[in-house]
Amino acid sequence: MATWSTKPSLIAAAIVVLGLSCSAGVAHGRRHGRSFVSSYDEPCKEMRLYLHDIIYDYSNSTSNSTSAAATKPTALSTAVADPGYFFGEMVVFNDPVTEGTALPPSLNETAAVRAQGMYFYDRKEAPNAWFSFSLVFNSTAHGHGTINLMGADLMSEKTRDISVVGGTGDFFMTRGIATLSTDEASAGLEYFRLKMDIKLYECYV
Ligand SMILES: *[C@@H]1O[C@H](CO)[C@@H](O)[C@H](O)[C@H]1NC(C)=O
Ligand SMILES: *[C@@H]1O[C@H](CO)[C@@H](O)[C@H](O)[C@H]1NC(C)=O
Ligand SMILES: *[C@@H]1O[C@H](CO)[C@@H](O)[C@H](O)[C@H]1NC(C)=O
Ligand SMILES: *[C@@H]1O[C@H](CO)[C@@H](O)[C@H](O)[C@H]1NC(C)=O
């Protein structure tokens, strides 16, 4: 019966928490006057963006490189197949993101949209990756804030969906799906371009 007696205090606590978060929401000027839109049939926002990943492979210039392997492939990777499928290799990236397919004129870290995060290879028999990254927007076209994405990049599939798990700023509390496809890739994956069709199903507008 102890559970019964604790319930009213839990409800009271919930009301206090709700009250606090409501007043915090009102106090947050950027969301003032905006409303929450959510439909799982129709996206509230759609974007097509291209991510360019240029891994530093010792021969490329350091100024042009946008990603770096932070670990080597594991011994298991090379034991299973030589030269292996990178199993266990982790790559950290800060990649330029563009609306068209062309590389931006400068690869320095000032692009209006960037993808910052990491991927690692997780399959013994073929290249396959898992991604976790933020799209960082500082752009007049798309606004300011971040969208956070994660999921399995099943590289043998032509298209694969990963989750948009949240957002900040102009993308406050957003959720959705990003459909990835490899638009171009060099043989050794030193350069690849991912097409990202992002559909957001929960937005503040
Ligand atoms: C270096 O970067 C360019 C893009 O700027 C890319 O096309 C190329 O494959 C990279 N690697 C080497 C070895 O040049
Ligand atoms: C660096 O990238 C630019 C294009 O963004 C390209 O013209 C140049 O050849 C690249 N340099 C190297 C060393 O890859
Ligand atoms: C970075 O690239 C932009 C756009 O090309 C350019 O205006 C800016 O001067 C560059 N910044 C640096 C530090 O190279
Ligand atoms: C955002 O863009 C503005 C204008 O181009 C620039 O001054 C500012 O440094 C950028 N902020 C970040 C975090 O890149």
Side-chain angles (χ1 to χ4, degrees):
M1 286 304 109
T3 49
W4 286 103
S5 60
T6 58
K7 265 196 173 167
S9 60
L10 278 180
I11 290 166
I15 289 168
V16 169
V17 169
L18 274 174
L20 284 175
S21 55
C22 285
S23 53
V26 170
H28 197 298
R30 292 189 69 172
R31 292 204 301 284
H32 185 74
R34 296 170 75 185
S35 55
F36 183 63
V37 176
S38 169
S39 159
Y40 298 134
D41 300 319
E42 277 293 316
C44 42
K45 195 172 178 58
E46 289 183 61
M47 288 178 275
R48 170 168 291 178
L49 296 169
Y50 294 88
L51 175 155
H52 305 263
D53 189 79
I54 305 166
I55 200 160
Y56 180 64
D57 63 355
Y58 303 99
S59 60
N60 218 334
S61 73
T62 52
S63 57
N64 272 9
S65 299
T66 66
S67 71
T71 67
K72 290 187 167 140
T74 58
L76 178 61
S77 181
T78 39
V80 168
D82 193 13
Y85 296 108
F86 319 110
F87 185 93
E89 179 179 322
M90 186 169 94
V91 174
V92 176
F93 61 88
N94 188 345
D95 287 339
V97 173
T98 56
E99 290 189 33
T101 56
L103 272 176
S106 160
L107 290 169
N108 69 29
E109 298 182 344
T110 61
V113 188
R114 299 196 70 83
Q116 300 179 349
M118 59 94 146
Y119 57 88
F120 53 75
Y121 291 100
D122 60 359
R123 199 174 156 198
K124 285 184 285 184
E125 296 86 8
N128 194 66
W130 192 87
F131 271 80
S132 175
F133 64 103
S134 301
L135 288 174
V136 182
F137 293 87
N138 182 19
S139 128
T140 39
H142 296 290
H144 302 261
T146 63
I147 294 180
N148 297 303
L149 303 93
M150 62 187 276
D153 182 24
L154 307 171
M155 287 167 64
S156 58
E157 304 287 324
K158 196 170 181 318
T159 63
R160 47 274 177 188
D161 290 344
I162 64 170
S163 305
V164 174
V165 296
T168 67
D170 288 335
F171 304 96
F172 176 75
M173 295 300 279
T174 198
R175 289 201 302 164
I177 297 289
T179 302
L180 309 183
S181 57
T182 307
D183 206 48
E184 194 183 310
S186 66
L189 296 173
E190 298 89 358
Y191 170 76
F192 63 79
R193 182 170 68 230
L194 279 184
K195 183 165 82 177
M196 302 187 288
D197 281 317
I198 300 168
K199 293 185 176 161
L200 303 177
Y201 293 90
E202 295 182 3
C203 316
Y204 272 88
V205 293

